Amino acid sequence: MIEGVQVVPLRRIPDERGCVSHMLRCTDPHFREFGEIYFSSIYPGVVKGWHLHERMTLNYACIAGEIKLVLYDEREGSKTRGEVQVIYLGQRNYALVVVPPGVWNGFMNVGT
């Protein structure tokens, strides 16, 4: 696991009307601060990456389908410099991935 990356399992609450999918609360221990929230869709087999944010912490979750999230650490002084981490997110692994600044990231739709 790359230094500073957190994988936090999330709750889904299904009922007869549908499902509530939790993502992030300001009281969560892994919450840093609010900047912006946006949603991204991606076609099957397409890759979005590589991305690097020098100051921003990213919070990834996948509420529909399945993605392969790939992280690469090239931060100077990091214990995990040069390491790659692969995380599958989606229906089978509904989780929040907290990516610290300076970690390269990209994702691919591995679903249909």
Side-chain angles (χ1 to χ4, degrees):
M1 189 129 136
I2 291 178
E3 181 180 17
V5 171
Q6 294 176 274
V7 180
V8 181
L10 296 175
R11 282 186 46 194
R12 285 200 159 141
I13 305 167
D15 67 18
E16 66 280 353
R17 301 164 296 168
C19 184
V20 171
S21 299
H22 285 253
M23 186 182 159
L24 186 61
R25 291 181 177 170
C26 64
T27 55
D28 289 337
H30 49 275
F31 177 78
R32 304 280 187 273
E33 64 182 339
F34 176 77
E36 76 172 325
I37 294 175
Y38 68 88
F39 301 93
S40 181
S41 64
I42 185 169
Y43 298 118
V46 173
V47 174
K48 287 191 176 182
W50 290 99
H51 306 284
L52 177 70
H53 291 283
E54 295 179 7
R55 296 185 311 232
M56 188 176 3
T57 297
L58 301 175
N59 294 285
Y60 276 105
C62 179
I63 63 166
E66 188 171 5
I67 65 166
K68 177 182 181 179
L69 175 64
V70 180
L71 308 174
Y72 175 73
D73 186 0
E74 75 167 7
R75 298 172 293 171
E76 287 191 33
S78 172
K79 296 177 199 169
T80 54
R81 183 182 173 123
E83 290 190 25
V84 173
Q85 183 174 354
V86 177
I87 305 162
Y88 289 88
L89 296 173
Q91 304 290 36
R92 288 175 281 206
N93 183 30
Y94 184 58
L96 176 72
V97 178
V98 182
V99 181
V103 174
W104 286 93
N105 59 93
F107 59 95
M108 175 179 152
N109 179 344
V110 293
T112 55

